[in-house]
Amino acid sequence: MTTPSKPLTALTTDPTGRALGLSLPPGSLVTETNDGLWREPLLWVADGTAAPGTWAQYLPARHAAGLQPVLLQDEPRIKEWWDGELDPGMMSDPGDYRAEEVLKTFWESAVSDTFEDEEDEGETIAPFTGSWPGLASPKRTAADPDTTAADIADALIKHSLDSPRLALVPVDRAADLPAAIGWSGPVNHENDVARLCAVLRSWEDRFGIQVVALSYARLDLSVAAPPQTLDEALAVAAEHFAFCPDNIWQGYETIHLYAEEALVGNTHWTFWWD
């Protein structure tokens, strides 16, 4: 999968981005991947730690230069994982996939793995059966996605992420961002993150999500139109179980509990792959 190179290539001779209508702090371009140097810069990363308001401050870069903001989080034992750990050569195009087909395949695999535990007896996926339940219906009203994303970014900076960096990625829509840079966080679940990005596109359309932060194996999304009732949340939880079974297996144990405690009215979705 390729990404537009012009905005980032311009930063090689104009590091502040003034020609692009930007005023960037000191930072660097990332070209090192798991397979060596990439043919074009994948992203720009600020040298300093992001402060509250940083994500919103650089949101205009999307319109000025086609650059999507995202927070990157160091890992204790994998410092600056984005320099040398990315694998864009593994990625295809999110547009090649339909979200429901991707989720149905993931659902069937996760259910199969769940039923390998003879003591489970379907408790994990209740009230669902083994059959794929289909996509959740979107809410009809939503907050402004950019405002919601800025709020979630600030909350992560203040309370959750340790020394996050601001990054800018040349990609048309935020849902494609993980595949565009070759992020391999879900590698134990799916090698080609473009398939997951097809789901993110669908969530972007139905729930107003935006990709706010990435770490080595964690993805944080803002949600402008979260489910407001338990029934709505259960339908979304089924999609989350397919997308990232570890959210349930290693967190809430059952889809019902996850829907009730993590999804109803929640404008922040987090996914973590073991």
Side-chain angles (χ1 to χ4, degrees), residues 184-191 246 273-274:
S184 56
V187 66
N188 292 332
H189 180 59
E190 173 57 50
N191 287 331
D246 286 332
W273 291 267
D274 192 0

Side-chain angles (χ1 to χ4, degrees), residues 161-211:
L161 302 182
D162 182 22
S163 302
R165 310 269 201 92
L166 175 77
L168 297 175
V169 180
V171 67
D172 291 334
R173 55 191 298 181
D176 295 350
L177 192 154
I181 67 173
W183 182 61
S184 56
V187 66
N188 292 332
H189 180 59
E190 173 57 50
N191 287 331
D192 187 357
V193 175
R195 298 182 71 207
L196 296 178
C197 288
V199 177
L200 295 182
R201 283 184 173 192
S202 179
W203 288 348
E204 188 177 75
D205 295 337
R206 287 181 290 144
F207 305 110
I209 68 97
Q210 290 204 40
V211 176

Side-chain angles (χ1 to χ4, degrees), residues 147-166:
T147 301
T148 304
D151 289 343
I152 296 303
D154 283 355
L156 287 170
I157 290 169
K158 293 176 182 177
H159 306 298
S160 181
L161 302 182
D162 182 22
S163 302
R165 310 269 201 92
L166 175 77

